[in-house]
Amino acid sequence: MTDLEINYRAMARLAEQHLAATRATWEAAAPRMVPDYQALVALLASFDEVAAQRSGLGSAGYTDAKDQAEAAAVAAAMRVVKGLRALQLTQPLPELAKAAAYTDSGLTRLRDEALVMALDAVRAAAQPHAAALAEERVTAAHLAALAAATAAYRPLVGTPRGQIIQGTALRTTAKKLVAQLRDAFVPLDTRLDTLEEDFPDLVGRYHQARRLGQAGHGPGAGTAAPQA
């Protein structure tokens, strides 16, 4: 979740906890506020579930590892591609044309299976010409590096991608829940304001909870942000 979503959830939780602790007082004075409070409780329960699911995915670490493996594979492939281009200058070979035409930006734009196929194609084109490539300063170590980088990238393609897709869906849900929480606070704020004269401390602490955790501040922030 974003900082804004985390902060808003923290603020909402503080406000709900205050209302729970003072329920006997405000419910007796404003019984029509009960459904509004229950709606807030339900939304927070949904928010907690989304947060738990997102933390359980671990997709951020997977994405970082995949990005690093992808960059390493592209760099290893381009070292070999440059040698293939040099070979084409000496004696153009039709079987090398496609592999020699790859560019850094072109490989970088490829993803998942498409990139794996391109890496395999470069390696397959280069292997029969290893001796000639060595004369173009593409050594056996470079070919081995391409094979190793491809092997490191290949396992990161496939099933784990579903974690990112699921994480994106949960992210969208979290945004919707923040919007729903904002709407849920409208009747609560209105009804609490009608109780301010009779219960100034209760309402004051509610407004304090509503200010904390907003505009980038955490639940322990020392500066109050404008109420939303």
Side-chain angles (χ1 to χ4, degrees), residues 125-137:
Q127 285 173 340
H129 303 278
L133 283 169
E135 296 180 5
E136 302 295 347
R137 304 183 65 81

Side-chain angles (χ1 to χ4, degrees), residues 8 15 18 38 40 45 57 59 70 85 93 96 133 143 172 174 187 198 201 225:
Y8 203 88
H18 174 63
Q38 291 173 335
L40 174 64
L57 284 178
S59 60
E70 186 175 282
R85 290 177 188 166
L93 299 170
L96 298 185
L133 283 169
L143 297 178
T172 300
D198 294 322
D201 185 66

